[in-house]
Amino acid sequence: MRLLLALLLVPPALGQDLAIRDVHLIDVEAGVVVPDQTVVVADGQIVAVGTDVGVPDGVEVVEGDGRYLMPGLWDMHAHLRHPIAPTIILPQLMAHGITGVREMGSECENKDDPVCLDQMLAWRDQIAGGTLVGPRLIELSSFPLNPPWDYAVAEDEARAIVRELHGRGVDLIKTYYRLSPEALGWIADEAAALGIYAAGHLPLAMTTAEAAAAGVRSVEHTRDLLFDCFPGSAAFRAEAHSQNPPPAVMRAMVEDHDPAVCDATFEAMIAHGTAYVPTHVTRRMDALADDPAFRDDPRRRFLPAIVWDSWQADADRMIALDPSPEGRATGRAFHRLGLDLTRRAHEAGVTVLLGTDGGDTYSFFGSSAHDELALLVEAGLSPADALAAATIRPAEFVGLGGTFGTVEAGKHADLILVRADPLTDIENVRQIEAVILGGRLFDRDSLDALRERVEAAVAAMDAEEAP
Ligand SMILES: [Zn+2]
């Protein structure tokens, strides 16, 4: 591992002044292409956008050649708290056009962990200063607050831990499934009083609507919503001691699904301004764990063997829960129902945000954001709405809609240049020609170099781990 940390990547020059000429802009809000534009960048900011914009003297010119320029992607459910982040995770996020992340487990509960919040805060500064390649660490979170089942958290205790975590520098408190409804209420309330917020997995002892009313600002994972929308919900919540429902309960969630309950949940989320981060990419495994094409993904070469092996074990465990044809069909139906739920939530007016849980089983660092965009479109969002869920909606969610999330003068120059129009086919987001972060240009050659360094870091790590 020491060897790996010594391989820290050298980023390209800080914030050149740029002009990107002859590009079609993707307007993620209007869902249209604005043709034949020039974008001028100075000091990391977009300063002019238009057809008749002149190119200032002395700036580096990027010839767009009719390609498509869109805002950089934000991953609102990322996990980077790992020693391999600088060499393996962060550069892959950059290479795939992820320019901002909300990190969902930045502080460690166990102080012996190799990376904790202080390191994450240092990485945030290094990225901002241009000495470390990676997306902006927009928000950093606490460890999941998850007391033992038989432990009643007292109010002063709940409020004290929120104050302590806020003092350490987290932007949000991550909730988890063993919290009591009362404790969740105290945590959300104390967080709000400090100007931060609570978000995460929902306590099994309360519904999504109740958590929204208690002040949770974003609900993570489709699965948590599906727990609500079937007649066995109350019994499941009362008896469950795990957030993984047993096969029979999962089947009931699919077969007895009650859309009216979900509709009421959406209404509560809208009333309380609660966003929804489905992370479909994490549940796709339920559907495809026994599909050899899915299992043998060529992207494995960008993953250390230790991670890949843990994914294989996890996928095998998933199948073993119920390997019968009915069990496998339930896994596929659960995934499809989740996609349908997201369409309905979006149509009802719930704010959907893109999150990947990257590093979770079969969520590849960086490219899983492209997978999730495709899944949002498969769910029924338009490509423009899927892109908005990864750009302007997250920026608005964190209160930065005025400075991030679209290609407009006055905003940070966090941009992706793609070869073909992502509004006609969301898969075109994968065809990245260049990424710009705060005016720093990573052209295709630099992005390829990043990927090669990741492969080298993976090989070095595998060699070190080998017996
Ligand atoms: Zn997560």
Side-chain angles (χ1 to χ4, degrees):
M1 201 50 78
R2 254 168 294 134
L3 176 79
L4 275 181
L5 289 170
L7 285 173
L8 287 181
L9 300 165
V10 181
L14 260 175
Q16 309 97 303
D17 290 350
L18 297 172
I20 309 145
R21 203 154 57 180
D22 185 20
V23 285
H24 307 310
L25 295 191
I26 302 300
D27 181 333
V28 295
E29 292 194 285
V32 296
V33 173
V34 186
D36 307 323
Q37 301 287 294
T38 293
V39 175
V40 179
V41 173
D43 294 329
Q45 308 280 317
I46 300 169
V47 293
V49 179
T51 38
D52 300 325
V53 170
V55 173
D57 289 340
V59 305
E60 175 161 3
V61 175
V62 179
E63 292 296 351
D65 293 328
R67 296 190 184 93
Y68 295 79
L69 191 69
M70 53 174 280
L73 304 171
W74 282 18
D75 184 346
M76 293 300 278
H77 193 127
H79 291 282
L80 313 172
R81 189 175 62 78
H82 197 283
I84 66 171
T87 51
I88 292 175
I89 305 176
L90 296 169
Q92 292 199 82
L93 299 187
M94 277 305 299
H96 292 92
I98 316 321
T99 56
V101 301
R102 180 176 68 156
E103 216 286 338
M104 288 304 283
S106 322
E107 178 59 305
C108 35
E109 195 166 9
N110 177 0
K111 284 294 168 194
D112 295 332
D113 284 1
V115 177
C116 293
L117 182 68
D118 288 346
Q119 179 65 71
M120 303 288 298
L121 290 164
W123 286 342
R124 173 190 264 180
D125 289 347
Q126 289 162 18
I127 289 166
T131 57
L132 178 65
V133 170
R136 298 175 194 270
L137 305 187
I138 302 292
E139 289 191 331
L140 300 175
S141 98
S142 70
F143 49 81
L145 267 54
N146 202 28
W149 282 114
D150 52 359
Y151 185 81
V153 180
E155 179 169 0
D156 54 354
E157 198 180 0
R159 292 183 183 276
I161 189 150
V162 173
R163 283 196 299 275
E164 188 195 335
L165 286 160
H166 170 259
R168 287 192 219 161
V170 304
D171 303 296
L172 68 140
I173 305 295
K174 183 166 181 177
T175 59
Y176 226 66
Y177 65 98
R178 289 196 302 251
L179 280 171
S180 69
E182 297 75 28
L184 180 110
W186 298 323
I187 287 164
D189 181 66
E190 190 68 28
L194 293 164
I196 59 173
Y197 67 95
H201 293 227
L202 300 183
L204 278 173
M206 68 200 302
T207 65
T208 306
E210 288 165 347
V216 166
R217 281 204 61 217
S218 73
V219 176
E220 311 300 302
H221 312 309
T222 301
R223 183 171 64 172
D224 284 29
L225 269 79
L226 290 175
F227 289 174
D228 289 331
C229 310
F230 76 118
S233 179
F236 165 67
R237 292 184 180 286
E239 290 157 22
H241 273 205
S242 157
Q243 48 181 356
N244 299 312
V249 176
M250 205 157 147
R251 197 165 303 145
M253 286 177 186
V254 171
E255 288 174 359
D256 306 337
H257 179 74
D258 183 352
V261 180
C262 276
D263 288 347
T265 302
F266 301 151
E267 269 175 46
M269 292 173 74
I270 293 162
H272 296 287
T274 312
Y276 164 45
V277 187
T279 67
H280 289 298
V281 78
T282 59
R283 295 270 57 92
R284 194 177 40 168
M285 211 236 321
D286 295 334
L288 299 173
D290 54 349
D291 178 343
F294 173 78
R295 288 290 288 268
D296 189 23
D297 194 301
R299 291 175 284 183
R300 64 179 289 184
R301 71 180 193 276
F302 299 108
L303 273 186
I306 193 167
V307 177
W308 178 255
D309 293 347
S310 76
W311 287 11
Q312 299 313 305
D314 195 34
D316 289 342
R317 256 194 315 273
M318 232 295 302
I319 298 172
L321 281 176
D322 186 352
S324 69
E326 298 76 32
R328 298 304 308 130
T330 300
R332 289 190 291 276
F334 195 76
H335 174 60
R336 274 199 307 275
L337 183 60
L339 292 172
D340 190 58
L341 180 88
T342 295
R343 175 188 57 78
R344 287 183 276 143
H346 173 70
E347 285 174 356
V350 173
T351 298
V352 175
L353 304 176
L354 179 137
T356 65
D357 228 337
D360 194 40
T361 305
Y362 279 89
S363 181
F364 291 87
F365 298 119
S367 55
S368 61
H370 304 167
D371 296 349
E372 184 70 11
L373 282 170
L375 287 164
L376 292 174
V377 171
E378 189 183 331
L381 273 68
S382 68
D385 286 343
L387 290 175
T391 55
I392 186 64
R393 297 286 99 82
E396 289 167 346
F397 178 83
V398 301
L400 296 174
T403 48
F404 287 99
T406 57
V407 187
E408 285 179 280
K411 294 206 171 181
H412 291 276
D414 291 3
L415 303 163
I416 314 177
L417 188 64
V418 293
R419 283 183 216 118
D421 182 1
L423 296 180
T424 52
D425 183 355
I426 196 68
E427 291 291 333
N428 290 335
V429 172
R430 299 183 197 271
Q431 299 193 44
I432 296 178
E433 192 58 38
V435 177
I436 295 165
L437 179 74
R440 262 171 292 160
L441 171 67
F442 297 77
D443 60 14
R444 192 58 253 173
D445 287 346
S446 339
L447 298 175
D448 288 340
L450 282 181
R451 288 162 62 102
E452 280 162 26
R453 288 182 200 174
V454 168
E455 276 191 276
V458 165
M461 185 171 173
D462 288 351
E464 203 176 338
E465 300 278 338

